[in-house]
């Protein structure tokens, strides 16, 4: 086995003494840093490379922390008005997962870069920490590489906010197949249109 394979096996056992100590020390370090900051190199190079990262010009790693848990409804004094269905303030869950939110925040910070992918690196009682892989679409090295220059196309602008990254596709339910998921492809709205609109063709 190569080096990256050993690292991959190590991260599969997060309760081991080695990884518990390592994560605890790194988590203390991350708490002292800003909420979004650039990292010189990936914390998990094996995971980053599996998600498309290359140690070459044009690739950037950003580290971001997201507060854990659900969110309260943003209403004044907890008063929602209206029907009882909308009265909930606490115990509300977001439809998007925390990794999608992390990608969105980094994407807004770095408007000239494209979000390629992201992965979990750490967590404590308050925060989850992710690293986001970004690509510079205007860099010559990226534009000349046939394996990554697809991201330079204008259709991939703001892909993290449109649910096109791996985390976004998971939030939309695309990591599931088969029975019970026929109403989400190609998207929930398109499936709804297909099932609810009447098609009155001229010759029918």
């Amino acid at each position: 086995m190569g080096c990256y394979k050993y690292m991959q096996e190590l991260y599969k056992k997060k309760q081991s003494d080695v990884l518990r100590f390592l994560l605890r020390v790194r988590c203390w370090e991350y708490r002292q840093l800003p909420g979004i900051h650039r990292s010189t190199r990936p914390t998990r190079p094996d995971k980053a490379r599996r998600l498309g990262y290359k140690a070459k010009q044009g690739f950037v790693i950003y580290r971001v922390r997201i507060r854990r848990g659900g969110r309260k409804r943003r209403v004044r004094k907890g008063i929602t008005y209206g029907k009882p269905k909308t009265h909930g303030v606490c115990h509300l869950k977001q439809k998007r997962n925390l990794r999608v939110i992390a990608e969105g925040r980094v994407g807004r910070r770095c408007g000239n870069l494209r979000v390629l992918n992201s992965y979990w690196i750490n967590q404590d009682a308050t925060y989850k920490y992710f690293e986001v892989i970004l690509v510079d679409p205007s860099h010559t090295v990226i534009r000349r590489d046939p394996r990554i220059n697809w991201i330079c196309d204008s259709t991939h602008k703001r892909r993290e906010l449109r649910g096109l990254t791996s985390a976004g596709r998971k939030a939309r339910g695309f990591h599931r197949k088969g029975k019970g998921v026929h109403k989400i492809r190609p998207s929930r709205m398109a499936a709804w249109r297909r099932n609810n609109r009447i098609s009155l063709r001229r010759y029918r």
Side-chain angles (χ1 to χ4, degrees), residues 10-27:
L10 187 66
Y11 261 90
K12 286 181 180 177
K13 296 178 172 59
K14 295 182 176 63
Q15 289 290 314
S16 63
D17 292 344
V18 175
L19 217 54
R20 282 176 67 185
F21 174 76
L22 206 59
L23 293 176
R24 192 168 74 243
V25 172
R26 282 178 178 165
C27 203

Side-chain angles (χ1 to χ4, degrees), residues 104-143:
R105 288 188 187 174
V106 176
R108 279 195 296 273
R109 168 70 69 86
C110 310
N112 61 325
L113 304 178
R114 304 269 165 88
V115 174
L116 178 64
N117 223 319
S118 62
Y119 53 93
W120 176 96
I121 52 168
N122 215 323
Q123 69 185 46
D124 57 17
T126 311
Y127 298 104
K128 279 197 176 188
Y129 300 89
F130 300 96
E131 280 186 355
V132 182
I133 306 168
L134 299 115
V135 181
D136 185 358
S138 57
H139 201 290
T140 311
V141 175
I142 299 299
R143 298 180 79 88

Side-chain angles (χ1 to χ4, degrees), residues 155-194:
T155 55
H156 293 289
K157 288 180 180 178
R158 296 298 190 193
R159 60 196 300 269
E160 71 280 358
L161 298 178
R162 295 183 288 134
L164 301 182
T165 59
S166 178
R169 288 173 59 80
K170 184 178 181 181
R172 292 164 66 194
F174 288 168
H175 284 197
R176 295 181 293 148
K177 294 181 182 177
K179 184 182 177 184
V181 293
H182 61 280
K183 290 186 178 180
I184 63 172
R185 284 186 174 85
S187 68
R188 290 183 192 275
M189 196 66 230
W192 184 90
R193 282 198 212 100
R194 185 176 64 228

